[in-house]
Amino acid sequence: MKSANNGVEILQSPRLPDFLRSVKLKYVKLGYHYLISHLPTLCLVPLMSVIIVQASRLSLDDIHELWLQLEYNLVTVILLCSVLVVPSTVYFMSRKRSVYLVDFSCYLPPSHLKIKHDYFMEYCKAESAFDQSSLEFLRKIMERSGLGEETCAPETMRSIPPQAPSIADARKEAELVMFSALDNLFANTNVKPRDVGILVVNCSIFNPTPSWSAMIINKYKMRSNIKSFNLGGMGCSAGVIAVDLARDMLRVHRNSYAVVFSTENMTYNWYSGTKKSMLISNCLFRLGGAAVLLSNKSSDRRRSKYELAHVVRTHLGADDKAFNCVQQEQDDDGKTGVSLSKDLMTIAGGALKTNITTLGPLVLPTSEQLLFFVTLVAKRLFNAKIKPYIPDFKLAFEHFCIHAGGRAVIDELEKNLQLLPVHVEASRMTLHRFGNTSSSSIWYELAYIEAKGRMRKGDRVWQIAFGSGFKCNSAVWLALKNVKPSASNPWEHCIHRYPVQLQL
């Protein structure tokens, strides 16, 4: 070091680096995680080494003498065999059958159904029921929604002035979305509709008679003994519920295929009143749907994309606030819509906490579970001010498919789960390109990850969705191979433009 006044140079001994700043603690945590996760293996290695060394010292005479002892102790041999065979037989007979995701298909609306923000506002202005305050509220919601300029709506929104929707219009939307997705699914998998033994369909708002499942059976002339189910009114998390129901059925019926179709009907979801809590859904919900083919056939494992690992469902319907936070109702003028409570995000946070409390022990490495347990005990016994340890779910999953219910939902989960921007990229881009497609949004997100070429063999995927009731449901999938996007992937013509820069 040189002085500016007299030019004297003063040499200082180099200081030791500040290890608290220079050493990245995440690497220490990863090392701890690796040590604890592989602790059984590390303990078994010395034991196996001792056994191998002792066995190598046995001579041929020792081995012959051991054989003679066993030969003259038939009862001992039988007991030893029983100890090995009986538990193995019980295990293989009682273990749950694996459920594979062969493929899935998301509906891609035609370009003429796209509605830009300007057109959306024109359509709303033509709606005679909206006053100036309602229009300004809709404009602000659209600006902050996270939706882009390419989201799509049904044909009923192409007419100005707006026309009152009919059952025929709703059926037309349903058939367009449903049959397009199913046609692609059957074409991509080479499975004949008559080979499907289980069918589960979910849609919350529009539930006609005959049902959605009956419409599919009639269209594809499915067999008469098919096990069909139609789930209604279960909200945006119903897609995971449908998968769970299909899984339970596949565990009962051997060598079967199950088709799950998830969607929401926009034609019957439009609200033409002035109650602000009911106007939000007009801005967020858009056209979409997804069809999924599941199988319990061991022969399908090789060609399947994923294996279903876990499904965890949380229902807070016993709590009145949770029950009423998302509700279809009529306003003071008798107009029907879906009302969203101001407490929605708080209730969603509570449901998420309950859900991950159950999910955590199933998926988190032992190291994270120990840290959580030790922190919890310390907090209870010593200091109530100790912050609870938030498990690092990035150690349990490589990919996250968070229901694209809105920008606020994605923001909260990114913050509370301490995720990185890349972990919520699929959710944000799905909301931007397709809007809130309700229960099918998690499949558009999975399609995004595949289209980006990010899915590798052994990767774990967490699909998480929220719905009315109030529910928080999780599905965990394991990639069986390096997954490539299927034909007619909804992102195939635009994936090169994503991710786009969003103003958050």
Side-chain angles (χ1 to χ4, degrees):
M1 174 179 176
K2 291 186 178 180
S3 172
N5 297 326
N6 52 22
V8 178
E9 185 177 8
I10 303 173
L11 298 176
Q12 294 182 340
S13 60
R15 298 177 60 187
L16 290 173
D18 187 345
F19 288 102
L20 291 177
R21 295 182 180 179
S22 61
V23 177
K24 292 186 177 180
L25 292 179
K26 70 174 184 178
Y27 295 120
V28 178
K29 187 176 180 181
L30 286 173
Y32 167 74
H33 155 64
Y34 183 86
L35 175 64
I36 297 298
S37 300
H38 295 82
L39 190 60
T41 304
L42 295 174
C43 292
L44 282 174
V45 167
L47 179 62
M48 293 301 298
S49 300
V50 171
I51 294 173
I52 292 172
V53 170
Q54 292 296 326
S56 64
R57 293 176 179 177
L58 293 175
S59 64
L60 291 177
D61 292 336
D62 294 332
I63 296 173
H64 180 68
E65 184 179 350
L66 180 62
W67 172 255
L68 289 175
Q69 289 179 2
L70 292 175
E71 191 176 10
Y72 290 107
N73 289 275
L74 185 60
V75 176
T76 305
V77 174
I78 292 174
L79 288 175
L80 286 173
C81 291
S82 300
V83 168
L84 293 174
V85 172
V86 173
S88 301
T89 304
V90 171
Y91 169 75
F92 284 107
M93 292 294 292
S94 61
R95 66 174 181 169
K96 294 180 180 179
R97 296 184 183 90
S98 297
V99 174
Y100 305 110
L101 192 161
V102 181
D103 204 352
F104 66 97
S105 175
C106 298
Y107 169 66
L108 178 63
S111 57
H112 73 274
L113 294 181
K114 293 179 181 178
I115 53 169
K116 295 186 176 183
H117 289 195
D118 290 343
Y119 177 83
F120 176 82
M121 292 308 303
E122 286 181 23
Y123 182 85
C124 292
K125 289 176 182 177
E127 176 66 71
S128 58
F130 294 153
D131 55 22
Q132 192 59 39
S133 175
S134 299
L135 291 172
E136 182 62 20
F137 179 77
L138 288 167
R139 184 187 65 78
K140 289 181 178 179
I141 293 295
M142 283 301 299
E143 288 177 352
R144 304 169 185 172
S145 64
L147 274 68
E149 299 284 351
E150 295 184 280
T151 60
C152 297
E155 291 282 359
T156 51
M157 286 191 68
R158 304 305 304 175
S159 60
I160 295 180
Q163 303 295 322
S166 64
I167 291 181
D169 293 329
R171 279 187 176 274
K172 184 178 179 181
E173 176 194 340
E175 292 173 355
L176 174 66
V177 176
M178 182 166 53
F179 297 150
S180 296
L182 286 168
D183 285 346
N184 287 333
L185 181 69
F186 291 134
N188 290 343
T189 59
N190 293 319
V191 171
K192 297 178 181 178
R194 288 189 64 85
D195 293 335
V196 176
I198 301 160
L199 175 64
V200 185
V201 183
N202 69 272
C203 179
S204 291
I205 301 298
F206 180 58
N207 290 286
T209 300
S211 65
W212 288 73
S213 56
M215 293 163 65
I216 294 174
I217 293 169
N218 176 259
K219 165 71 174 180
Y220 294 101
K221 310 305 177 188
M222 292 178 161
R223 63 198 199 195
S224 59
N225 65 343
I226 189 172
K227 308 296 186 293
S228 63
F229 303 87
N230 206 91
L231 308 180
M234 303 196 78
C236 299
S237 68
V240 177
I241 298 173
V243 168
D244 189 32
L245 176 56
R247 178 190 65 168
D248 290 343
M249 294 298 295
L250 285 170
R251 284 178 173 173
V252 175
H253 301 278
R254 296 174 178 271
N255 297 318
S256 298
Y257 284 117
V259 166
V260 173
F261 179 73
S262 300
T263 191
E264 190 52 80
N265 191 273
M266 273 197 70
T267 301
Y268 260 40
N269 202 30
W270 181 262
Y271 172 65
S272 57
T274 57
K275 190 174 180 180
K276 289 182 171 58
S277 63
M278 300 170 72
L279 282 170
I280 298 173
S281 61
N282 286 354
C283 300
L284 298 179
F285 284 95
R286 292 294 183 266
L287 199 61
V292 183
L293 179 66
L294 303 175
S295 172
N296 60 8
K297 301 180 181 182
S298 56
S299 58
D300 280 326
R301 179 183 174 87
R302 180 173 295 181
R303 70 170 182 145
S304 296
K305 290 183 172 183
Y306 308 95
E307 181 179 350
L308 182 59
H310 306 287
V311 175
V312 175
R313 293 167 55 181
T314 301
H315 203 309
L316 302 183
D319 180 80
D320 289 341
K321 271 191 174 182
F323 177 77
N324 292 312
C325 72
V326 180
Q327 194 167 42
Q328 187 182 30
E329 60 186 22
Q330 289 183 324
D331 62 13
D332 295 337
D333 297 323
K335 295 180 178 179
T336 303
V338 176
S339 176
L340 304 180
S341 166
K342 293 180 180 179
D343 299 323
L344 177 59
M345 293 311 302
T346 303
I347 292 166
L352 174 65
K353 181 180 178 181
T354 304
N355 188 267
I356 64 176
T357 301
T358 305
L359 180 67
L362 299 174
V363 299
L364 285 170
T366 309
S367 58
E368 288 297 293
Q369 296 188 47
L370 282 175
L371 283 172
F372 176 78
F373 177 75
V374 170
T375 307
L376 182 64
V377 171
K379 180 178 175 65
R380 294 287 177 87
L381 297 180
F382 304 110
N383 188 351
K385 295 182 179 180
I386 296 177
K387 291 183 179 180
Y389 178 71
I390 300 175
D392 188 356
F393 279 91
K394 297 188 293 294
L395 294 174
F397 305 106
E398 285 74 32
H399 308 284
F400 297 79
C401 296
I402 300 167
H403 165 54
R407 205 183 82 180
V409 175
I410 302 171
D411 288 346
E412 283 300 311
L413 264 72
E414 180 182 13
K415 177 183 176 182
N416 291 335
L417 295 177
Q418 299 178 354
L419 302 179
L420 301 174
V422 68
H423 294 132
V424 295
E425 180 183 311
S427 300
R428 292 197 190 280
M429 296 308 107
T430 294
L431 182 64
H432 180 271
R433 173 62 182 84
F434 294 100
N436 180 354
T437 60
S438 189
S439 55
S440 65
S441 68
I442 54 178
W443 298 107
Y444 285 90
E445 293 160 16
L446 188 57
Y448 178 89
I449 297 169
E450 291 183 2
K452 279 292 183 182
R454 296 174 180 172
M455 192 66 68
R456 294 289 179 265
K457 183 178 180 179
D459 282 2
R460 297 152 297 180
V461 186
W462 182 12
Q463 290 181 322
I464 183 166
F466 302 90
S468 58
F470 189 83
K471 299 180 287 293
C472 175
N473 298 323
S474 296
V476 178
W477 301 90
L478 176 68
L480 298 175
K481 57 186 177 183
N482 296 341
V483 181
K484 296 180 180 179
S486 302
S488 301
N489 181 292
W491 297 91
E492 64 182 359
H493 299 301
C494 63
I495 193 64
H496 61 281
R497 294 191 276 112
Y498 285 88
V500 297
Q501 189 67 35
L502 300 176
Q503 294 181 352
L504 302 179

